Amino acid sequence: MAAKTYKSLDHVLGRFDSLDPASRASLVQRLARERRLLENIFNVLKDGVILVDADGHVEYANQTAGKMLGLRDDQLGDVVLWRFVPGLRPPIIDVSEDARDDAVQAAHAMTREIELTYPESRVLRLYMVPFFSDENGGRQQYAVILGDITNEREKTEQRIADERTSSIRLLAAGVAHELGNPLNSLTIHLQLIERRLKKLKGSAKKDADALSESIGVCQEEVKRLDGIITNFLEAVHPRPPDLCETQVSEVLADVLHFQRRELEDRGITVEVEAPGDLPLVMADRNQLKQVFFNINKNAMEAMQPGGVLRVKARADDDNVYLLFGDTGAGIKQADLAKLFQPYHTTKQGGHGLGLMIVQRIMREHGGQIGIESREGAGTVVTLQFPRKDRRVRMLK
């Protein structure tokens, strides 16, 4: 039906000069209706549609494309697409009119994936194909389709992270068994030796003291290995959260009270802005404590005596936020992308599972974790929890 309509329009336009004024006015109204119809169709599309000339100037953009790129109608013609996507500019097809169809068919359509940070962070898939417009003097133009694949990319990254975690689960039982049993045996025998040494101290005090010191070192190492195993098992065999109404400021206060002595010993000052009337969230209190403990521990180990740990809490209509800022050495940009990978650590003696566990717990609570850092300026960790009255549970 649409094809017949446009053929009839072409027929009428072909004899436009011979039409009387009333017929011309009717034709103009009809063309205006057709234009509005096409604009409405383009503007309801979820994909962005852009028309650019051979130099990359944007001549048309539907509403979706305008929102994606932050373009206003009065900017059309001034914005050059090639500036948005360096390296995108294709070669101009310079051929005779008779050979244009063959040239367009031979020209390869271009596909790119681009990441934008303005007007909001997005990942877009760009598809561009050249064509010649007879209505514009045979000028070469490009039709560009923009698809928002931000959610698709996030799901892919999360799936990769889940697959990475699943792969190490295959080794969990064997590793825990192989390390756990010898550690238990070592602990028992060290305790027996320690008891016997206490009986020998009277007759051979010097030797007994030396042996006691060695035993103390061994016991500390056993504790450290036991902690590694505990973290490993927690990472690969997580417990589902036992969700209940939770005031995050209360859980935070409990954790800071528990860590108070260590903070004082390290000479670190804590500044907290966490109102007690924050909106409730649905959370597992014990897992929340583990999240706060790990983040605070990382902050403490990143700072020298005299450092400051600042914790701020706030809320909006949808989420509750906790921000942990330290005055430590910061994190190298090259390491930021690897922070949540298993066994990646920038600390001597670290096991590289703490932030991986934190990320998993936040995901299972429907929340998110973000980290901003700059070398020499410290690090800010942001936790985002959905409010209890805004929480939506996804079943699939």
Side-chain angles (χ1 to χ4, degrees), residues 116-386:
L116 300 179
T117 57
Y118 178 84
E120 59 182 282
S121 180
R122 299 174 184 267
V123 179
L124 305 180
R125 180 175 289 126
L126 179 150
Y127 175 81
M128 182 172 70
V129 63
F131 69 96
F132 289 92
S133 175
D134 293 333
E135 287 75 14
N136 290 308
R139 291 189 301 118
Q140 181 178 335
Q141 294 175 289
Y142 296 91
V144 180
I145 308 297
L146 296 175
D148 191 336
I149 59 170
T150 305
N151 291 336
E152 177 185 330
R153 175 65 65 85
E154 290 176 350
K155 289 179 180 178
T156 299
E157 291 177 352
Q158 182 169 342
R159 185 175 66 251
I160 292 172
D162 291 342
E163 289 174 354
R164 186 184 297 119
T165 302
S166 297
S167 66
I168 63 176
R169 288 182 182 177
L170 298 175
L171 301 174
V175 170
H177 176 77
E178 294 298 326
L179 290 178
N181 285 348
L183 285 175
N184 289 335
S185 178
L186 278 170
T187 301
I188 292 171
H189 285 282
L190 285 170
Q191 290 173 349
L192 291 174
I193 294 172
E194 188 177 27
R195 290 172 190 167
R196 291 176 182 173
L197 280 174
K198 289 179 181 178
K199 297 177 182 179
L200 296 174
K201 279 190 176 182
S203 58
K205 187 175 185 305
K206 185 176 180 181
D207 292 338
D209 289 342
L211 287 172
S212 294
E213 184 178 350
S214 297
I215 290 173
V217 172
C218 291
Q219 288 175 330
E220 288 300 318
E221 288 300 295
V222 168
K223 289 180 182 178
R224 189 171 70 86
L225 288 171
D226 188 56
I228 292 173
I229 292 176
T230 300
N231 279 285
F232 177 76
L233 292 176
E234 177 63 27
V236 298
H237 289 298
R239 293 179 293 103
D242 183 14
L243 302 178
C244 63
E245 293 184 358
T246 303
Q247 175 57 261
V248 294
S249 59
E250 294 177 0
V251 180
L252 174 65
D254 289 344
V255 173
L256 290 173
H257 179 74
F258 177 78
Q259 294 179 306
R260 176 175 54 85
R261 180 62 60 84
E262 185 177 2
L263 287 162
E264 291 175 353
D265 290 343
R266 291 177 178 267
I268 294 173
T269 303
V270 181
E271 299 177 0
V272 180
E273 295 181 23
D277 59 348
L278 286 169
L280 296 175
V281 303
M282 296 299 293
D284 183 314
R285 290 180 66 93
N286 288 329
Q287 292 191 8
L288 221 56
K289 286 181 179 180
Q290 186 177 10
V291 168
F292 297 162
F293 181 90
N294 279 336
I295 293 174
N296 290 342
K297 186 77 172 177
N298 287 343
M300 282 188 276
E301 293 176 348
M303 290 187 283
Q304 299 295 325
V308 180
L309 172 62
R310 296 183 177 90
V311 186
K312 296 182 180 181
R314 63 179 179 85
D316 58 22
D317 292 339
D318 298 307
N319 300 289
V320 174
Y321 303 88
L322 280 178
L323 289 80
F324 298 77
D326 66 55
T327 57
I331 303 169
K332 295 179 181 178
Q333 292 299 310
D335 289 325
L336 276 175
K338 305 175 184 177
L339 289 179
F340 301 107
Q341 293 181 7
Y343 306 116
H344 174 78
T345 180
T346 59
K347 298 180 296 185
Q348 186 175 1
H351 48 70
L353 293 172
L355 283 177
M356 173 186 165
I357 295 171
V358 168
Q359 185 186 53
R360 176 186 54 73
I361 292 174
M362 291 302 298
R363 283 178 175 172
E364 291 184 351
H365 281 71
Q368 297 180 13
I369 176 174
I371 298 180
E372 298 178 23
S373 188
R374 192 173 58 183
E375 283 189 89
T379 301
V380 176
V381 179
T382 302
L383 303 179
Q384 174 185 317
F385 297 92

Side-chain angles (χ1 to χ4, degrees), residues 40-49 62-65 145:
N40 289 335
I41 291 173
F42 279 119
N43 285 331
V44 299
L45 294 176
K46 292 184 178 180
D47 288 337
V49 179
N62 68 345
Q63 291 180 359
T64 303
I145 308 297

